[in-house]
Amino acid sequence: MNDSLLVEARDLERSYHNGREQIRVLHGASLELRRGEAVAVIGPSGSGKSTLLNLLNGLLPPESGELRLFGRAHTELTESDWAEMRRTRIATLFQDGNLIPTLTVSRNIAFRAGLAGVHRHDGDALLERLGIAETAQRYPDQLSGGQRQRAALACAFAMQPELILADEPTGSLDYATAQRVAPLFFDAIRERSLGALIVTHNPELAQRCDRILELRDGALSPWVSAQFS
Ligand code: ADP
Ligand code: MG
């Protein structure tokens, strides 16, 4: 096996079933993601981007197709294998932030890092770099949407994952803040040789990735266009 491959997905299929209605979301979706590589996934709302991330972090099984994470086939992974990978190796940034409401930002970071077995985390430096050092002692509901999103990023990096799956990581940031956070996000990815799959509508973020894939009609293909519209 090529051990730089973090994710290998071939022909993933996934539908949702509402009573008799079947909503086919992923239909022949394939991708590979290597260590040190950042890949953007773009696609219209409802095209299945969040569903794809949920397949890749083990929250939703594919109905068919092949999926390997860190070289291990999903058919061989138990629930506890997935849980262990999400605890220590895969950081998932969900669309609505991942902070625990009863803990301050600083405690959120310590908690997330501690779960991952990282006891000397660089949370304070991360908050500083993300421009939200002043939020360390605040609770999530005392933060703006953009501050919460950056605090969630700090938690993700502090756990020292190998793979980041991010669903619109700059979606609640205003344009100027997104411009400021995007380079920090990529510096952290590159410095640590992480693999990152980033669902985004933000051209700034997408164009800093090594590749852009478009999710359309259930499948992923390289995105080609002269201009980001
Ligand atoms: P995106 O993230 O690209 O906006 P999603 O993956 O959230 O797309 O959703 C893809 C499609 O699947 C949408 O049509 C959505 O309504 C539908 N869908 C998502 N989750 C469920 C669910 N739990 N049950 C039924 N349909 C769902
Ligand atoms: Mg989504």
Side-chain angles (χ1 to χ4, degrees):
M1 192 215 63
N2 177 347
D3 71 305
S4 74
L5 268 179
L6 299 177
V7 179
E8 297 171 78
R10 287 245 184 289
D11 292 328
L12 296 179
E13 302 279 331
R14 180 69 217 197
S15 304
Y16 292 106
H17 304 270
N18 276 339
R20 285 193 184 174
E21 190 196 10
Q22 183 193 22
I23 305 164
R24 189 154 78 171
V25 179
L26 298 178
H27 180 51
S30 301
L31 85 115
E32 288 186 350
L33 181 72
R34 288 178 178 69
R35 230 171 264 284
E37 188 181 41
V39 173
V41 174
I42 61 171
S45 180
S47 58
K49 304 179 299 295
S50 296
T51 302
L52 174 70
L53 292 189
N54 284 339
L55 259 64
L56 301 184
N57 68 23
L59 294 178
L60 198 64
E63 288 162 332
S64 70
E66 290 170 41
L67 175 62
R68 300 177 83 84
L69 267 286
F70 309 108
R72 298 173 69 189
H74 84 276
T75 46
E76 293 160 16
L77 293 167
T78 64
E79 274 303 317
S80 82
D81 291 331
W82 277 112
E84 174 72 12
M85 291 197 305
R86 286 192 296 265
R87 190 170 65 76
T88 60
R89 306 181 79 177
I90 306 175
T92 306
L93 285 158
F94 293 101
Q95 245 160 325
D96 309 318
N98 319 35
L99 302 170
I100 298 168
T102 53
L103 300 178
T104 62
V105 167
S106 179
R107 298 294 304 156
N108 261 283
I109 293 173
F111 177 75
R112 195 68 199 78
L115 269 185
V118 174
H119 298 296
R120 294 184 50 186
H121 64 79
D122 53 355
D124 291 338
L126 283 163
L127 292 178
E128 189 79 48
R129 284 173 67 177
L130 291 164
I132 51 165
E134 75 282 8
T135 66
Q137 301 314 320
R138 293 195 211 149
Y139 291 90
D141 69 359
Q142 300 172 316
L143 308 181
S144 69
Q147 289 173 328
R148 261 200 299 278
Q149 217 159 24
R150 280 176 283 168
L153 273 180
C155 289
F157 286 120
M159 70 175 270
Q160 299 181 6
E162 293 165 70
L163 172 63
I164 292 210
L165 302 174
D167 206 346
E168 287 287 349
T170 60
S172 339
L173 304 182
D174 61 70
Y175 182 74
T177 309
Q179 292 275 85
R180 200 154 76 79
V181 169
L184 303 172
F185 190 63
F186 285 95
D187 286 351
I189 289 171
R190 311 256 185 247
E191 274 164 25
R192 297 158 197 236
S193 279
L194 308 183
L197 194 75
I198 305 164
V199 168
T200 185
H201 289 292
N202 178 343
E204 180 68 19
L205 210 58
Q207 288 185 324
R208 282 173 182 269
C209 289
D210 300 297
R211 289 186 285 132
I212 303 178
L213 299 175
E214 184 177 23
L215 182 55
R216 189 172 287 276
D217 300 328
L220 288 158
S221 50
W223 183 79
V224 269
S225 170
Q227 198 81 55
F228 208 105
S229 57

